[in-house]
Amino acid sequence: MHLTTLLLIIVAILTALSGIAVFSGAHKGERIRAFLFFFTTIMALIWAIGIGVFLSLPENTNPDVTKSIIDMIYIGAPVMCWGLMAYACHSYKLGQIGMVILGAFCLAFVGMILMKPELLYSGFTLSEASGNVVHLHQDNFYILYGAYHFLAVGLYIIGLGYTAYTAKTAQVKKSYLMVLIGFTITGILALVYDFILPYFGRYDTIWVGILAMSIAWIFHYYAILRYHLLNLSSPWLKTFSRVIVLSCAAVIYLVIFFIIFAALFKTPAPSAQVIVLNVLMIAAVMLLIPALNELSAFVGSLASADEIDVSYIVKKMTAIVGYDVNLTELSSFLCDHLHFQYIGFILNGELYGSSQTKISPETVKEIARSKKITGGIWLEPDEKLSVALHRLDISAVAELRDGKGKIIGQIIFGKPNGHINFENRDIVPIEIIIQVLPAVIKPGNHRIKRHLI
């Protein structure tokens, strides 16, 4: 399979997925518009698959099968263009009239092509050497067929332009103009490469137009999500969006692979086995991405003693809220990611630390009785206790309060890692973590039911 065929089909499938995502998530008042978006992407998929499969057909393909695939090309295109025009114009009275008129022409073309395909083409040639070609008639029928597409695309551009002009907010206006510019460019490419050049016998570049339009539809889907051109909400919407993004990454990978393969081995396309192997490798990498992201976040959180990854720590602690927690494990986790040599909790007069310390029970009780600095969460030990804590390499002690303001315990910080004193550390992220801790800690329940790592 050639790169162009594979790329065309994959991008067309992505286009159809974007249409499914929009239709599945549309609110009741926008179902018609969402359905037209979905309908057009499905027709684009049929058109693209027809072109992609035809260009890859071997010379010994059954003629009836070949004719069916050619029908997919020349029936999918006019129906898609009608959907394109309807999507932009259906909410206007003139647009609705245009939908009826062009719909009648569309049905007429579809019926004539199905019943008398010889009106459109005299035959076809399948050749691995010179490429597969449909021999189109250079007569009035094909001119009318092409004029229909010119008119449909033109009405789409006018309808989308008017929608942009009447948009109430600058952001929506800007987004519609961006979509309009993209579709104007791709529409011109489609008309040139899919209708004009084939009319003059140039069939090898017919894939360019539909590939460009498919990419434009994916961009339109992004604009719908980014600028809320349609009000979407669906439990499947995020899933579809992730699939589309990951599939786009896979498409980019395949393009790079085909280019490198062709340059190294001087062949136009790899074998089917090589393509299957690459698809399997892509799937394996996709499955590994969540684990790699988690590992990357873990390593990044440990990387610098001068910086604290608050979002990572909060995310991990939030995941264990409602579970019984091993306080020694929690202390060790915070010790690693807040970059201290020691962290411990005092709960109900008991000390739970990241490592063994020489803090006596009497000292623990003295720490628990320390007074709070006015307006903060940090405790201020008396002079005698300060000397003892300094000797034990304890830098600071903070108070832990639950959501009702009740004191549930204290947290002890040892020396910071790196060449920095506690007074020079950024205290704000540490205080954020301290505020989250009471929701995680359950005094008296210290069994392991869920791990942080």
Side-chain angles (χ1 to χ4, degrees), residues 39-157:
F39 175 81
T40 306
T41 58
I42 296 300
M43 290 301 107
L45 173 66
I46 293 172
W47 186 22
I49 288 178
I51 292 174
V53 172
F54 176 78
L55 293 177
S56 299
L57 289 177
E59 295 178 355
N60 59 350
T61 303
N62 184 292
D64 292 333
V65 173
T66 305
K67 289 178 181 178
S68 298
I69 293 169
I70 295 173
D71 287 344
M72 288 177 64
I73 299 173
Y74 289 99
I75 290 175
V79 178
M80 188 210 73
C81 283
W82 179 86
L84 193 71
M85 182 275 301
Y87 172 77
C89 302
H90 76 280
S91 57
Y92 308 112
K93 288 185 178 180
L94 289 177
Q96 292 168 3
I97 295 172
M99 286 173 59
V100 174
I101 295 173
L102 283 187
F105 275 102
C106 179
L107 290 174
F109 282 123
V110 169
M112 285 187 284
I113 291 172
L114 285 174
M115 291 185 293
K116 296 185 68 176
E118 61 271 13
L119 287 172
L120 185 66
Y121 60 92
S122 59
F124 52 84
T125 299
L126 303 180
S127 172
E128 293 183 9
S130 58
N132 298 343
V133 177
V134 176
H135 301 293
L136 298 166
H137 288 305
Q138 294 181 339
D139 57 14
N140 292 334
F141 183 82
Y142 188 80
I143 293 173
L144 287 173
Y145 180 80
Y148 163 85
H149 290 83
F150 273 92
L151 180 60
V153 172
L155 289 175
Y156 165 79
I157 292 173

Side-chain angles (χ1 to χ4, degrees), residues 399-414:
E399 198 172 62
L400 294 172
R401 288 180 175 267
D402 63 16
K404 297 179 180 179
K406 180 183 177 182
I407 299 174
I408 64 170
Q410 294 78 32
I411 180 170
I412 302 172
F413 294 92

Side-chain angles (χ1 to χ4, degrees), residues 184-236:
T184 300
I185 294 171
T186 56
I188 292 171
L189 287 174
L191 291 172
V192 170
Y193 285 96
D194 289 52
F195 296 100
I196 296 176
L197 292 181
Y199 179 78
F200 292 104
R202 181 73 185 271
Y203 215 83
D204 57 315
T205 56
I206 192 173
W207 56 272
V208 174
I210 182 55
L211 178 61
M213 293 200 77
S214 296
I215 293 172
W217 274 114
I218 294 172
F219 174 76
H220 195 163
Y221 173 67
Y222 166 78
I224 288 174
L225 296 182
R226 173 68 177 82
Y227 299 104
H228 303 288
L229 302 183
L230 290 175
N231 191 8
L232 304 180
S233 61
S234 165
W236 295 100

Side-chain angles (χ1 to χ4, degrees), residues 264-324:
L264 288 177
F265 299 102
K266 309 299 181 183
T267 57
S271 64
Q273 291 87 345
V274 173
I275 294 174
V276 170
L277 176 61
N278 269 274
V279 171
L280 293 175
M281 289 298 295
I282 292 171
V285 171
M286 296 297 184
L287 292 174
L288 286 173
I289 283 177
L292 293 173
N293 287 339
E294 182 65 23
L295 179 61
S296 176
F298 174 77
V299 173
S301 181
L302 297 176
S304 174
D306 297 331
E307 297 178 2
I308 296 174
D309 189 346
V310 176
S311 60
Y312 176 78
I313 299 172
V314 171
K315 173 189 171 186
K316 300 300 289 186
M317 291 200 303
T318 302
I320 61 173
V321 171
Y323 292 84
D324 292 338

